[in-house]
Amino acid sequence: MSSILDSLNSQIFTGQLHTKFSIHLQGMDPLTVELVEVNERNTPRTEAFSLLFRGPASPRLNQQIHDLEHAKLGRFPLFLTAVAGDSESITYEAVFHRLRKDP
């Protein structure tokens, strides 16, 4: 079973650096975060990269799958973990690690 995430790679996200994503939260207004960094860690056999999003200090999102939406990429689920924060913002990370498909 494939999903939209199968078609998204680090180059696609790099093209969306410093753009806004909405995180849809149950019973609340969407939370806006900015994609601030894309880090590639690819190997010949694996496609591995991480995304860093910066959002407001409150509310702090739980570590779980969240429903994100972007003007160009559409809507998709993504597992986010808070990795840094201060009184003004929280940084969330999403990690992709998958085997490369044979051509």
Side-chain angles (χ1 to χ4, degrees):
M1 179 170 93
S2 73
S3 75
I4 187 171
L5 293 178
D6 294 332
S7 64
L8 297 175
N9 58 40
S10 61
Q11 291 81 21
I12 290 171
F13 282 109
T14 298
Q16 302 309 316
L17 272 171
H18 305 294
T19 63
K20 305 293 183 186
F21 289 72
S22 294
I23 300 176
H24 296 276
L25 304 169
Q26 192 171 7
M28 298 175 63
D29 289 334
L31 180 71
T32 301
V33 296
E34 178 183 353
L35 178 61
V36 295
E37 196 172 315
V38 177
N39 297 299
E40 280 193 52
R41 299 181 203 116
N42 294 328
T43 70
R45 295 197 56 205
T46 62
E47 179 182 18
F49 62 95
S50 64
L51 310 174
L52 292 178
F53 296 92
R54 185 164 298 125
S58 182
R60 181 187 170 123
L61 300 176
N62 291 329
Q63 175 178 296
Q64 66 185 42
I65 296 173
H66 292 279
D67 192 21
L68 275 73
E69 187 168 15
H70 185 267
K72 291 186 179 179
L73 303 180
R75 197 166 176 162
F76 53 92
L78 202 56
F79 188 88
L80 297 175
T81 301
V83 293
D86 56 31
S87 63
E88 296 180 13
S89 67
I90 298 176
T91 301
Y92 298 96
E93 182 178 43
V95 176
F96 289 75
H97 189 267
R98 53 193 171 206
L99 293 175
R100 292 188 185 275
K101 295 180 180 161
D102 293 327

